Amino acid sequence: MKKPPQDLSQLLHQRGQLPNIAEKAELLMHLDYYVKQVLTGPVSEQLKVANFRQGVLVIETTTAAWAARINFQKTKVLQQLQAETLPMLSAIEVKVNPSLLMYATKAKENHNQITQTAATHIEALAEHAEGSLAIKLKRLAALASRSRQS
């Protein structure tokens, strides 16, 4: 008889390497968020906390120019992190990783547009529907006129 599959949360809380990896990933995620709060402005969008080992926080950025900007603020970040989050932090290392550009978040496009033809069809469907469905369909058809106005 086969063993039933284990729940992922159980695997993460057992002994071994997986719980340690999960814990470190969560730590890096929190540090990334915190560093981005300390380094405000456009520079925060160009960096990622890559690692924390032996008291050294490794921050990756997309270009050498951004690395220079982070290096100018490194002492401020180091002092703030030591005081509020990581007292064992001894240094911050900034590295350039151009491949971060591939993973950069792009501005989300607004896809809430309906063509006039689609709006006409939805409006015709709403004529034959009843109750709240008819109201929602008419509201959906109204998006076509709103998207042309903006």
Side-chain angles (χ1 to χ4, degrees), residues 10-22:
Q10 288 176 341
L11 288 173
L12 291 176
H13 297 296
Q14 290 179 350
R15 292 190 179 139
Q17 227 176 349
L18 194 57
N20 295 339
I21 292 171

Side-chain angles (χ1 to χ4, degrees), residues 10-47:
Q10 288 176 341
L11 288 173
L12 291 176
H13 297 296
Q14 290 179 350
R15 292 190 179 139
Q17 227 176 349
L18 194 57
N20 295 339
I21 292 171
E23 187 177 320
K24 184 157 186 178
E26 192 171 328
L27 171 70
L28 292 177
M29 192 173 64
H30 288 296
L31 287 173
D32 185 66
Y33 175 78
Y34 191 80
V35 168
K36 287 180 180 181
Q37 298 303 311
V38 173
L39 292 170
T40 57
V43 71
S44 67
E45 299 168 11
Q46 303 295 325
L47 65 88

Side-chain angles (χ1 to χ4, degrees), residues 17-82:
Q17 227 176 349
L18 194 57
N20 295 339
I21 292 171
E23 187 177 320
K24 184 157 186 178
E26 192 171 328
L27 171 70
L28 292 177
M29 192 173 64
H30 288 296
L31 287 173
D32 185 66
Y33 175 78
Y34 191 80
V35 168
K36 287 180 180 181
Q37 298 303 311
V38 173
L39 292 170
T40 57
V43 71
S44 67
E45 299 168 11
Q46 303 295 325
L47 65 88
K48 176 184 162 199
V49 171
N51 203 357
F52 178 67
R53 64 182 184 294
Q54 299 173 349
V56 178
L57 184 68
V58 180
I59 298 175
E60 289 183 340
T61 187
T62 54
T63 64
W66 289 114
R69 288 185 72 172
I70 294 169
N71 279 324
F72 285 132
Q73 299 179 41
K74 195 165 40 172
T75 55
K76 171 188 138 187
V77 174
L78 180 65
Q79 290 171 350
Q80 198 163 350
L81 284 171
Q82 285 173 332

